[in-house]
Amino acid sequence: MEAAGREPSREEAVLNAAAALFAEKGYAATSIRDIGERVGLLGGSLYHYIKSKDALFVRIHDRALQSAEDAIRAGIADIEDPVQRLASACRILLAIQLAPDSLTMPLMNDLGSVPEGLRERLIERRDAFETMFAELIAAVPPVAGRDPDIYRLLLLTTLNTASNWYRPGRLTSDEVADQILATYGIEPGGA
C-alpha cells in the first residue's frame, strides 16, 4: 500500500483497482478490461504492469495474506505467554477480517471460481499462512482428546467467516472476539 500523503504509483493503482474489483465482482466476473477502465488504461498499456489476470490474482491474494501475517507477527512479537500470543493473534485476524476494506475473505471465498492450477497455488499459500496458527496452537498446553489440527481448522473457520455474519451494533468486535476466544477455551484478555 502507498505511504500516507503519497500518490500511488501507476502499478500500485492497478493493483488496488484489481483488488477492489476482485473483491466486488469475483475472479470470473472481473476482466482485464474492467481493471483497465478503473485506472484509465487500455488493455495493451495495462499489460505493462501485469502478466495475466491469473498472475494478478495470485499477487493480490499473496499480498493480502502476507499483510495479515505481518500484522499478526508484529502484534504478538513481544508476548511471551503462549495462550496470550494465540489470543492476540486471533484478535488481530478477527480485526483484519472485519475491516471494511479487508481483501482476505473476498479473495479466499472466490477460490472455487479460479482455474484448478491457480486454485492449488492459492491453497498452498493459504496453508503456509495457517502454519503460523498451527505453531501458536502447538505452543499452548494441550487439552486431552483435542486434535490440534481440527481445533485449528475450526478456530480459523470461525475467525475467517465472522465477516459473513457480524454486524456492528449489539456487540463490539472486541466483545465478539471475547466470545470466540471463550468458546475455543482461550483466555480472553490478550492485547
Side-chain angles (χ1 to χ4, degrees), residues 1-57:
M1 296 296 163
E2 63 271 1
R6 180 175 69 81
E7 191 69 27
S9 69
R10 183 63 107 174
E11 180 177 16
E12 203 59 35
V14 168
L15 290 171
N16 291 340
L21 283 164
F22 286 137
E24 291 167 23
K25 297 172 67 172
Y27 172 85
T30 299
S31 69
I32 293 298
R33 175 179 283 165
D34 294 333
I35 297 166
E37 287 175 1
R38 179 79 53 110
V39 293
L41 289 174
L42 297 175
S45 300
L46 189 58
Y47 281 106
H48 173 74
Y49 300 101
I50 62 172
K51 292 179 185 173
S52 67
K53 179 176 156 179
D54 288 358
L56 184 60
F57 191 81

Side-chain angles (χ1 to χ4, degrees), residues 110-162:
D110 207 24
L111 289 183
S113 69
V114 300
E116 183 62 36
L118 181 58
R119 185 176 321 128
E120 290 170 6
R121 162 73 181 86
L122 299 173
I123 289 171
E124 185 178 299
R125 176 60 181 98
R126 181 206 59 204
D127 290 349
F129 172 81
E130 289 184 11
T131 298
M132 175 178 50
F133 276 87
E135 292 167 357
L136 289 167
I137 291 165
V140 300
V143 173
R146 182 170 72 193
D147 182 296
D149 291 329
I150 293 173
Y151 180 83
R152 173 184 47 83
L153 290 170
L154 292 172
L155 175 61
L156 286 173
T157 297
T158 301
L159 294 168
N160 286 332
T161 60

Side-chain angles (χ1 to χ4, degrees), residues 165-183:
W165 52 262
Y166 174 74
R167 299 295 174 265
R170 191 169 77 82
L171 297 175
T172 67
S173 59
D174 284 336
E175 290 169 330
V176 170
D178 288 343
Q179 291 291 317
I180 292 171
L181 294 172
T183 298

